[in-house]
Amino acid sequence: MNAKIRQRLGQAGLGAVAAAGLLYPLRAMGFDDLVGMSFPTWHEVLFLAGMLLGGFGLLRWLAGAAGVALVLLFIVEIVPAPSRWARRFVREDPLPAATVDGIVVLSASVNTDGLINPPGLDRLREGIHLHRQGISPRLILSSVQWDKRPEVQSDADQRAIVAESGTTPELHIVHEVGSTRLEALRVAELALPRGWKTIVVVTSPTHTRRACATFEAVGFTVICRPSPDRSIAWAHLGAPDDRAAAFGLWLYETLGWWKYRAAGWIRADAP
């Protein structure tokens, strides 16, 4: 092996190391959700890009990007203000005094065993809790499927959780949802022809503002209800990892809000 090849391999190795230095702060700030890649994962793509950039002598640029990301993470973790921006996306409306037409529980994701993830479980538990309170006799859920195996869907797990709760709501499940916009359209196809127009929408805290505005845009009167979020201590945001995760959610929802507004999927006058 000649010296030039050894040099290129060494540079590729350093590129992978620099990619790891970039990956750490990005993951800490929740970029997994922002990128939204499945397979090959964006982590693998990043490492491959790092090796290629290092091999072609562009290691300086990759190391610079990693340095900027690490500085940003440090600032986000020690300064309270950026993480608190995420609270702007939390919408919590007063619960109605009268019964509404339905409680819509938005899904999150499902694993290869057909089980919903923790945020999805938190949302469903909140929906069941609202049903027990008498907010509505019916639950409307959205079923998600695993990306690479369409036959793996969340229906069975969602039905089992509702059954285990001891409640007996009028249960409806909509399918073919891959985004908040599609969830709103599928629920509208089910509910609006039946005259169900006033709904409670349950989703994770920072998703509430965009989700509820999306449902309002397709014709619903919406009461927005955030589910508990055990992944972040929202009341305090005192821990560095909580601040980093909250900042990532703020960035994700900011970009999502701009995208939905540009596409006309939320009202132009939505706050």
Side-chain angles (χ1 to χ4, degrees):
M1 184 181 298
N2 62 40
K4 188 174 183 179
I5 293 177
R6 287 198 301 270
Q7 182 183 14
R8 286 289 178 89
L9 289 175
Q11 290 175 335
L14 290 174
V17 173
L22 179 58
L23 176 62
Y24 170 72
L26 294 183
R27 292 201 66 185
M29 291 184 288
F31 276 66
D32 285 21
D33 289 334
L34 185 63
V35 175
M37 293 179 68
S38 52
F39 183 82
T41 65
W42 74 277
H43 316 115
E44 294 164 339
V45 171
L46 182 59
F47 276 110
L48 180 60
M51 294 176 67
L52 291 174
L53 289 172
F56 284 99
L58 298 175
L59 180 61
R60 183 180 303 174
W61 296 98
L62 185 61
V68 170
L70 285 167
V71 170
L72 177 60
L73 176 62
F74 178 73
I75 293 172
V76 166
E77 288 184 337
I78 66 171
V79 179
S83 60
R84 291 173 182 168
W85 296 339
R87 291 175 178 165
R88 301 173 186 174
F89 287 103
V90 181
R91 172 179 162 185
E92 184 172 4
D93 301 327
L95 289 174
T99 299
V100 301
D101 297 317
I103 300 166
V104 178
V105 180
L106 304 189
S107 51
S109 67
V110 64
N111 67 16
T112 54
D113 291 331
L115 304 178
I116 57 176
N117 68 346
L121 178 59
D122 287 338
R123 297 174 186 184
L124 183 51
R125 291 180 63 184
E126 178 66 15
I128 293 169
H129 174 66
L130 294 174
H131 168 69
R132 282 178 170 157
Q133 287 184 278
I135 300 300
S136 177
R138 60 184 62 90
L139 280 178
I140 303 173
L141 315 180
S142 57
S143 172
V144 287
Q145 65 183 40
W146 193 57
D147 290 345
K148 298 301 179 182
R149 290 174 56 193
E151 71 276 10
V152 178
Q153 300 195 12
S154 62
D155 301 47
D157 190 39
Q158 290 165 303
R159 291 182 186 277
I161 292 167
V162 173
E164 290 167 4
S165 72
T167 58
T168 55
E170 178 186 325
L171 186 62
H172 301 266
I173 299 181
V174 297
H175 297 82
E176 298 180 5
V177 299
S179 67
T180 305
R181 165 69 172 175
L182 287 176
E183 285 180 302
L185 292 175
R186 298 294 175 263
V187 173
E189 291 168 358
L190 167 74
L192 294 181
R194 293 172 167 84
W196 304 341
K197 294 184 178 180
T198 303
I199 59 173
V200 174
V201 171
V202 180
T203 188
S204 299
T206 54
H207 188 222
T208 48
R209 181 185 174 203
R210 178 164 59 96
C212 291
T214 303
F215 275 79
E216 288 169 338
V218 299
F220 289 106
T221 299
V222 175
I223 297 97
C224 217
R225 189 72 177 182
S227 61
D229 186 350
R230 291 171 176 79
S231 63
I232 298 176
W234 283 105
H236 301 93
L237 289 176
D241 54 345
D242 284 345
R243 289 176 178 171
F247 175 80
L249 288 172
W250 167 79
L251 181 60
Y252 179 85
E253 284 300 327
T254 296
L255 296 176
W257 184 266
W258 290 346
K259 173 184 175 180
Y260 272 49
R261 173 162 280 180
W265 295 343
I266 55 178
R267 300 191 330 267
D269 61 343

